[in-house]
Amino acid sequence: MKLNISTRSLHAFLALQECKHFTHAAERCFMSQSAFSVMIQKLEVAVGAKLFERDTRNVTLTAEGELFAEVARSLVSDIESAFADMSDYVARRKGRVAIAALPSLAANGLPAVIAEYKRAYPGITVQLFDALSDQCLAMLRQGKVDIALTAPGSGLIEFDTKTLCSDPFYLVCRQDHALAGKRRIRLSDLSGCELIHLARSTSVRQHVELLLRGIPVMNSGLEVEHLATVAGLIESGLGVSIVPELTLFQFRHMNLVSIPIDAHDIVRPILIVKKKERSLSIAAQGMSELIEKRLHNIGSRATKR
């Protein structure tokens, strides 16, 4: 059975229960007595029972009215609580934001943005997942995260994407390497260099292969997944590596130098990715706007720190 009981009629019922007088209860609800009486009558029809005993002096609850009073108080409490919660979500006092990001961004730049967001909205839970590009998109696809910060790759056509910044490439080598004294590296300078590679599953590797197409470099045979491992291998004299600017914080070793590669047309774009045709929550939208504001061109700032 479909009921037509408004919150206003519940408040009217509870006012009459407390005041035990139609005129006083109507005044409390800012209604005329006649309109108030009609509202109580309609409520009794909707409930299917007489809720009040009326005489010239007193208004008292019937047995059914006593039962309904408990229901009315519970309903009003639940509705008020629900609207209070909704108000908290709209005002960003409550909520959840989940972000998937490339490890380079998750460790460099994004933590400061999350800290700023948490200071402004301490009641919102922020979740961060550091993962490779394909994993970031998988989490977005599954609804596990609201936003993904990743590099171009397959599977992006199903998402809305926006370029956040461009991430140029650098040569990392030991201080005693033949190229260590150069201020900039031309692609042709890399000829004969023994390369330490990141795994083929990484967005870095895919871009490096494009960068080195046609350049006769040597393969060291070393292919690893973690930048800290790359740094250790270079420091031990086992080769050099080409990495994006956002990862340079991993190579701040006494014996290593980072030199920009003069290839402006080949960079790794960093994208902010969201689901198509699906609005972000208010909390997630605020985070997305802050990320775009704070991380725009982060790569050019990373090398100045």
Side-chain angles (χ1 to χ4, degrees), residues 109-122 287 290-291 293-294:
L110 191 55
V113 176
I114 293 174
E116 181 180 350
Y117 188 88
K118 289 290 289 181
R119 286 193 296 271
Y121 310 110
M287 175 63 82
L290 187 61
I291 287 171
K293 183 178 180 180
R294 295 287 183 252

Side-chain angles (χ1 to χ4, degrees), residues 64-110:
E64 289 76 16
E66 294 281 0
L67 291 172
F68 186 72
E70 296 181 17
V71 174
R73 281 191 292 270
S74 178
L75 288 172
V76 168
S77 176
D78 288 346
I79 292 169
E80 290 177 348
S81 177
F83 273 88
D85 277 350
M86 195 63 208
S87 178
D88 284 340
Y89 282 108
V90 171
R92 296 179 188 160
R93 290 187 291 266
K94 287 184 180 179
R96 168 190 169 275
V97 183
I99 310 162
L102 295 173
S104 53
L105 272 172
N108 180 30
L110 191 55

Side-chain angles (χ1 to χ4, degrees), residues 22 31-44:
F22 270 85
M31 298 175 68
S32 67
Q33 183 174 336
S34 59
F36 185 86
S37 296
V38 170
M39 179 173 286
I40 294 298
Q41 290 170 3
K42 288 182 177 178
L43 179 62
E44 289 179 320

